[in-house]
Every structure is written in structure tokens, then in C-alpha cells.
Amino acid sequence: VLSDSIEGNYSSGDSKIENVPILKTDWQSVLNAVTKELKFLESSEDSSLSRVRILKDLVIAFEIHGYITCSWFSEMQPVKIETNELSFFAKIDLKS
Amino acid sequence: MTAEELDKQLIDVRKAYRLLYDYQLHVLDLARVIGSKLGYNTVYGYPAFSGSAPKEGKKGVFDLWSWDWLNMYHYKFSFGSKKINDQEVFFDIHIISDSGFYDRQSAIETDTTTFKSAEESVTRIVLYAALEEYKWHEILKDSSSIAKDIRSAAFKWPSEDKVMVYGKSLALKDFIDSASTENSIRIFREACHENNITV
């Protein structure tokens, strides 16, 4: 999970200490990696319950410290319902 | 309606189910986040328009409203209270997915054709801060007052001068992402503060 959170942030220009590269990340990126892993585990067949529980606890721990995950409406896929006619329930009512 | 028309209409029904699933998922997440950002982490849920969804094995389900299976039409998330500066402050979020019933005085709950049209209706989030536990359901009984709450920017109870319950009505689109949600929460906090309620 940690390596996943670092991946996106890695650049060769990052600083080095005694030739050991320092890879930077931030808490939000770690949290995003945790939620990604959690979603993956929950959808996979061999999901181990203990790992899911640990990750869920991590999400709560992040929340306590002000880092929150949310599925925002801006990420929701629009759905178009084509029919603009009165609903069939309404039609039934009109006939009765 | 012919069998062919019904078959076609049922495509919309299936689409609507999937859309509502996604919509409710996002509403739940949003309510959780708003509560959390204000420091309220325990939540109790109350359908405010229909009854509760029937439990598994519920006897006599035909006596229930169809609405009971769609209870996020208007739903209340009640977050209990916390103490701020020696003040016990209660916090609630109402999601009014469709104001259509409340917007027309003559509307009948069981006949959606009597509601205001979907285009003319609104979807609102109303944030409430209260200084004392209040009999919300007493206020709720009056649907015309709910309609007023939904449309007017602010709700003050019992009076303009002595506010025990403050409600701020915002469009759901004002919570579309992280930045707009932060902004809406800030607006709510400031408005509460002006009415001597600290959240």
C-alpha cells in the first residue's frame, strides 16, 4: 500500500541522503492507496477478512485525523432515462 | 399501456433503480463526510417522508406504502449532540431528494401526479444545528413549513430573535466535490455563528 501511494509522486529529482533516494508522499496519497486496496480486496474472491478489517480501521484512523475519503457527486457517472412520457402508473390511474 | 409499451417502460425502471443506487451511495457518503468534518461521528437515521424500509421477514408488507422502499425521498441523518463552549449542540442533516410533494399544498403522498413537476422541484440538503433536543417530528407534521424551509435560505425556530434551531438550506449541487462542500460547511458555520450557535 505504501509503495502504491509513493509511485505517483516519485520523480528522479527527489532528494537523496547518502545516496539513498528519499521518496516523498503525503497522508492523503497513503489514504487513497488504502481505499484502492480496500476496494480491490473487497471485490476479489480470496479477500481475507482480517486484512479488510485492518484497512477499514486505517480509514477510520485517517478520518480521526481529518483525512476523509468520499465518493463525490462530481465522480458519479451520468445516467440518462430516455422516456419523457407520463409513467405507466400515471396512465393506469387516468384510465381507472 | 400495451405489453410492448410496458416492456419498454421497464427499461427505464431498471435504469432508475441503478441510478438511485448510485445516487443514494453518494448521499450517504456525503452525509458521513459533512458530519465528520463538523466533528459528529455517530449517526441515527430517520425516514422523514415515508416509513422505514421493511425488515426481512416483515409481516403484512402489503399494508406499507410503496414509498417505504424508497425512503430517501426525504431522510434525516441525526448526529446527536456534542458540547461546545458549555453549549450542547445537536446536529442534523436532511436530504430532500425531491421537493415535489412539499411544493404543492394539494399534493397527495400516494399520487405522484399531484406533485409539482420534477423540473420545477428541487433537491436540497438542509443542515440543522439546535441548542436543545427539539421535537422535530412535531415541526415535520406541517408540510407547508417544510416547503418553506426548502425554498428559503434559512430556518429559525422558535423565532427570529431567539434562535434555538437554525437550519440552512442548500442545493445538493453545492456539495458536488470537496471544495464546494468545504465552502458550504463554512457558510453554514458562519450563519450559525451569527445566530449565536457554535458548530
Side-chain angles (χ1 to χ4, degrees):
Chain A
V1 168
L2 267 177
S3 69
D4 196 20
S5 74
I6 289 164
E7 216 168 279
N9 292 340
Y10 179 71
S11 74
S12 54
D14 277 353
S15 54
K16 285 183 180 180
I17 295 176
E18 293 174 358
N19 272 337
V20 178
I22 307 297
L23 306 180
K24 293 174 186 167
T25 186
D26 53 40
W27 291 119
Q28 192 63 52
S29 306
V30 178
L31 174 57
N32 291 346
V34 167
T35 21
K36 201 176 138 194
E37 181 70 12
L38 186 58
K39 269 186 194 157
F40 171 74
L41 275 182
E42 282 179 328
S43 62
S44 66
E45 274 181 22
D46 59 335
S47 67
S48 124
L49 208 60
S50 57
R51 289 180 70 193
V52 168
R53 271 209 300 266
I54 289 167
L55 291 179
K56 278 186 174 169
D57 282 351
L58 271 176
V59 171
I60 294 167
F62 273 103
E63 194 169 310
I64 290 167
H65 293 281
Y67 294 94
I68 296 169
T69 56
C70 184
S71 314
W72 298 106
F73 274 102
S74 56
E75 296 153 15
M76 189 172 146
Q77 291 301 312
V79 174
K80 206 170 176 209
I81 294 180
E82 301 287 342
T83 313
N84 281 318
E85 298 166 49
L86 279 175
S87 80
F88 64 84
F89 299 107
K91 284 183 180 171
I92 291 163
D93 279 343
L94 290 173
K95 280 174 192 164
S96 63
Chain B
M1 172 176 283
T2 64
E4 287 76 27
E5 282 172 324
L6 172 62
D7 217 28
K8 210 177 149 215
Q9 181 85 78
L10 289 174
I11 299 171
D12 288 348
V13 170
R14 295 193 289 274
K15 281 184 184 172
Y17 262 99
R18 295 169 197 199
L19 172 61
L20 282 181
Y21 169 79
D22 280 346
Y23 164 75
Q24 295 192 162
L25 185 85
H26 284 80
V27 167
L28 288 168
D29 227 20
L30 179 64
R32 176 181 60 83
V33 165
I34 297 170
S36 175
K37 282 189 185 289
L38 287 167
Y40 291 86
N41 295 306
T42 311
V43 68
Y44 306 88
Y46 302 90
F49 176 73
S50 65
S52 302
K55 281 190 187 139
E56 200 173 283
K58 164 94 179 164
K59 192 180 173 190
V61 286
F62 298 144
D63 295 334
L64 302 174
W65 282 12
S66 172
W67 284 120
D68 294 349
W69 281 265
L70 294 165
N71 66 28
M72 220 185 268
Y73 186 84
H74 176 184
Y75 200 83
K76 169 177 135 176
F77 300 98
S78 201
F79 288 85
S81 71
K82 66 173 186 177
K83 248 201 162 113
I84 310 165
N85 306 334
D86 278 343
Q87 266 186 340
E88 184 98 312
V89 183
F90 293 83
F91 176 61
D92 278 9
I93 298 174
H94 281 236
I95 172 74
I96 295 150
S97 299
D98 174 14
S99 65
F101 167 72
Y102 300 115
D103 281 348
R104 184 159 286 158
Q105 204 122 47
S106 58
I108 301 157
E109 286 101 324
T110 49
D111 183 358
T112 57
T113 59
T114 63
F115 291 18
K116 203 160 196 180
S117 77
E119 288 79 5
E120 290 171 294
S121 303
V122 292
T123 299
R124 297 289 238 179
I125 294 248
V126 193
L127 307 178
Y128 290 95
L131 286 185
E132 61 178 29
E133 203 157 9
Y134 53 101
K135 290 177 182 169
W136 180 245
H137 286 282
E138 290 297 311
I139 307 172
L140 245 191
K141 275 178 190 160
D142 182 6
S143 72
S144 64
S145 105
I146 292 280
K148 229 176 81 203
D149 282 9
I150 299 165
R151 295 284 175 183
S152 73
F155 169 78
K156 293 174 187 180
W157 185 86
S159 71
E160 219 24 73
D161 317 315
K162 187 175 178 281
V163 180
M164 300 299 281
V165 182
Y166 180 80
K168 180 93 192 156
S169 174
L170 293 146
L172 182 60
K173 69 175 162 58
D174 293 334
F175 296 88
I176 189 170
D177 56 18
S178 178
S180 60
T181 300
E182 291 282 359
N183 190 46
S184 295
I185 291 172
R186 186 182 53 76
I187 290 167
F188 172 63
R189 273 199 151 126
E190 285 173 7
C192 284
H193 193 70
E194 281 165 25
N195 289 282
N196 301 315
I197 300 174
T198 310
V199 271

